[in-house]
Amino acid sequence: MKTAQASFHCSCIALLVGIAGSLPAPAPAGEPAGLEVGIAVRDITPELPIRLAGYAGRNRPADKLEHPLLVQALALKNPTGERFVFVALDNCEVSGAFTQPLLARLRDKFGLERGAVAIVSSHTHSGPVLEATLTDMAQPSADERQRITKYSERLRAQLVEVVGAALADAQPAWLEQGLGRATFAMNRRVYQGDKVVFGDNPDGPVDWDVPVLRVKGTNGAVRAIVFGYACHGTSVRSGDDWYVVSGEYMAYARQHLEAHQPGAVAMFLTGMGADSDPSPRGRLLDAKRHGLQLAGAVIGVLDRPMRPVRSGFKLAYEELPLPLAPAPGREQLEKDARSQDVHVRGRAEAYLKMLSAGRPLPDAVKLPLSVVRVGNELTFVLLGGEVVVDYSRRIKRLLAGENPWTVGYAYEVPCYIPSARVIHEGGYETESSMIYYGFYGPFRGEIETQILGRVDALVTRLRSPAS
């Protein structure tokens, strides 16, 4: 506890010193980065009341708003015309079913092919439920489903709008990167006998890195501050605060950063920390505390010399099928269809419908993954799904010379993506979470080798001068 308190106080001091010393930035020396950057923001706050995503235990809609929810887009454009767009979304996650019509609109309107737009969900558990995205986890009423559908349709339109606005805003820019540290992420897998349960495991793996990218205009003004962290957006989980719409700790961090750097857009890219929770947690006050620490870590980076990022970007995108263990037979499915647990029952009924229709049962899950290499100084690795921290740690070792920035919850979230270790140990991330995502699992243990192998292959492809 003393260590956590000291870290929190240090982060507060860093934030206050940064604010006190905020001065107009001089124009950078030299030439811009060799690419153009566009930035856009839209307000996506829902009308209340609305069901919130992330927990099955909530029993009513949210009826209060803490602050506006946002969607932000940062577009990269090469001198040769290639484009890539990061979309940072204040929501728990999006599914392939939700994004499919959206991606079609983006292709038709802007010529952006699949992989060129990465929607990165913040994974706040205080954002609205979306259509076809863990919708049944909340067990909404018919009236609540209508509100969810209405909000989802509006959100898709705003996603198209914000991408278009970011593309239209593209202009020459200087990029700089650095790395900080925040310590509130706590591994949540606790070992009790032969079981793995939720709790705080201070000895478990975490990723405390805070990567930072600063985007400046040709006049030296800071246009954007992009930052990341690998931790669930689950600071709030009790009392009346549980029914308040908020962007969680990452939104509070953005607010601090934008106050520190007026005129700049602060944008959060979620890391690979699906088995990490904020600690402590429970109330909105905890989310505010973690947001302050995270902002302090970012300002600490901004106040030190940062590494220039030069030249344009290269993109490599794939969709990798991850094999599942064989599905149970009809007898087990019929037994599960009589379960008292509505979620277990729903999964079994869906599988039985597939059998009755003569359709094959799922034997794999599609995982979108990409690598975005900016010059020789920065390599983004983006994975779909709720990716556990083992992947972040291994990718950073594998690509140590590439300045890797690991991003999870990208493109879409089909389910948790456990490592070989987590699959072997069992627990929520590899077993019971699959109930809500509608799959019978677990994954086969070789998926970690498959994912890391494809990431390495994509990076190798982009290193080639001909790529």
Side-chain angles (χ1 to χ4, degrees):
M1 180 60 72
K2 291 181 180 179
T3 301
Q5 289 175 342
S7 176
F8 177 61
H9 292 317
C10 288
S11 296
C12 292
I13 292 169
L15 177 62
L16 295 173
V17 169
I19 291 174
S22 178
L23 295 171
E31 294 298 320
L35 54 74
E36 295 182 347
V37 176
I39 303 159
V41 182
R42 294 294 184 269
D43 187 320
I44 58 167
T45 306
E47 295 180 4
L48 300 180
I50 192 82
R51 277 282 185 171
L52 299 184
Y55 292 110
R58 288 189 177 105
N59 56 23
R60 60 179 173 87
D63 53 9
K64 294 181 181 178
L65 174 67
E66 173 69 6
H67 48 233
L69 301 186
L70 303 177
V71 61
Q72 304 161 304
L74 186 140
L76 307 179
K77 183 180 179 183
N78 280 333
T80 48
E82 299 89 355
R83 297 163 299 165
F84 178 83
V85 186
F86 288 102
V87 178
L89 176 65
D90 278 349
N91 200 274
C92 190
E93 57 196 60
V94 295
S95 67
F98 176 88
T99 60
Q100 186 174 356
L102 168 64
L103 296 177
R105 292 184 212 172
L106 293 173
R107 183 185 62 245
D108 294 343
K109 191 165 185 176
F110 305 116
L112 294 166
E113 297 298 330
R114 194 172 184 87
V117 178
I119 299 172
V120 182
S121 300
S122 68
H123 206 51
T124 172
H125 281 44
S126 296
V129 173
L130 297 182
E131 189 176 45
T133 304
L134 292 181
T135 310
D136 290 337
M137 187 178 193
Q139 291 296 294
S141 66
D143 179 65
E144 290 165 351
R145 285 183 185 274
Q146 288 181 354
R147 288 178 172 272
I148 290 167
T149 298
K150 181 180 178 181
Y151 178 76
S152 298
E153 290 172 351
R154 173 189 147 205
L155 178 59
R156 288 192 189 97
Q158 290 177 299
L159 285 164
V160 173
E161 182 181 323
V162 78
V163 169
L167 292 172
D169 183 60
Q171 52 191 279
W174 279 272
L175 307 181
E176 301 170 294
Q177 66 151 323
L179 189 66
R181 180 181 172 91
T183 58
F184 61 86
M186 175 77 73
N187 189 283
R188 69 183 193 183
R189 291 172 55 82
V190 175
Y191 307 100
Q192 291 185 352
D194 60 351
K195 295 181 179 180
V196 180
V197 299
F198 285 128
D200 280 1
N201 179 3
D203 298 319
V206 290
D207 179 0
W208 283 346
D209 286 350
V210 180
V212 180
L213 179 70
R214 179 162 57 194
V215 180
K216 291 183 177 181
T218 54
N219 63 353
V222 178
R223 298 177 59 209
I225 301 165
V226 186
F227 63 106
Y229 196 59
C231 185
H232 258 67
T234 51
S235 306
V236 183
R237 55 173 64 191
S238 63
D240 290 340
D241 288 353
W242 216 26
Y243 298 95
V244 176
V245 175
S246 85
E248 256 278 351
Y249 69 82
M250 53 286 284
Y252 292 115
R254 287 198 315 246
Q255 292 171 358
H256 289 305
L257 292 170
E258 290 179 357
H260 166 66
Q261 191 68 65
V265 171
M267 180 174 176
F268 178 79
L269 297 179
T270 319
M272 300 178 186
D275 48 346
S276 297
D277 273 338
S279 182
R281 55 192 172 273
R283 303 166 296 163
L284 275 168
L285 182 62
D286 295 308
K288 293 176 181 179
R289 167 183 176 166
H290 301 319
L292 183 61
Q293 184 188 153
L294 184 54
V298 174
I299 291 171
V301 175
L302 298 174
D303 285 347
R304 299 191 300 269
M306 299 176 72
R307 182 187 301 109
V309 179
R310 302 179 179 89
S311 189
F313 76 89
K314 296 179 180 179
L315 166 68
Y317 174 81
E318 285 189 6
E319 294 176 358
L320 181 66
L322 303 180
L324 294 163
R330 179 178 286 275
E331 182 178 351
Q332 181 62 49
L333 293 174
E334 290 176 344
K335 179 181 178 181
D336 288 351
R338 297 189 296 271
S339 172
Q340 296 300 307
D341 186 319
V342 64
H343 305 291
V344 171
R345 191 165 66 244
R347 177 180 62 170
E349 289 171 348
Y351 269 54
L352 288 169
K353 286 180 182 177
M354 285 185 261
L355 286 179
S356 298
R359 290 157 44 204
L361 298 179
D363 60 0
V365 172
K366 177 194 69 176
L367 178 72
L369 68 160
S370 71
V371 173
V372 181
R373 184 176 170 90
V374 188
N376 294 317
E377 295 86 16
L378 180 59
T379 302
F380 289 96
V381 178
L382 297 95
L383 297 184
E386 300 203 46
V387 187
V388 300
V389 73
D390 289 349
Y391 286 96
S392 184
R393 292 159 65 96
R394 286 205 60 187
I395 288 169
K396 289 177 181 182
R397 290 196 299 269
L398 178 68
L399 305 177
E402 308 289 338
N403 297 313
W405 182 325
T406 53
V407 180
Y409 301 90
Y411 296 104
E412 64 183 74
V413 177
C415 60
Y416 275 82
I417 308 299
S419 62
R421 173 185 65 85
V422 172
I423 293 171
H424 176 74
E425 293 174 352
Y428 179 79
E429 292 84 1
T430 191
E431 294 170 348
S432 50
S433 67
M434 297 292 268
I435 297 171
Y436 303 109
Y437 284 106
F439 292 110
Y440 277 90
F443 282 110
R444 294 184 182 273
E446 63 264 27
I447 68 166
E448 180 176 340
T449 301
Q450 288 180 287
I451 293 170
L452 295 175
R454 291 316 304 157
V455 167
D456 189 42
L458 295 183
V459 171
T460 300
R461 183 196 305 174
L462 295 186
R463 285 198 201 106
S464 170
S467 64

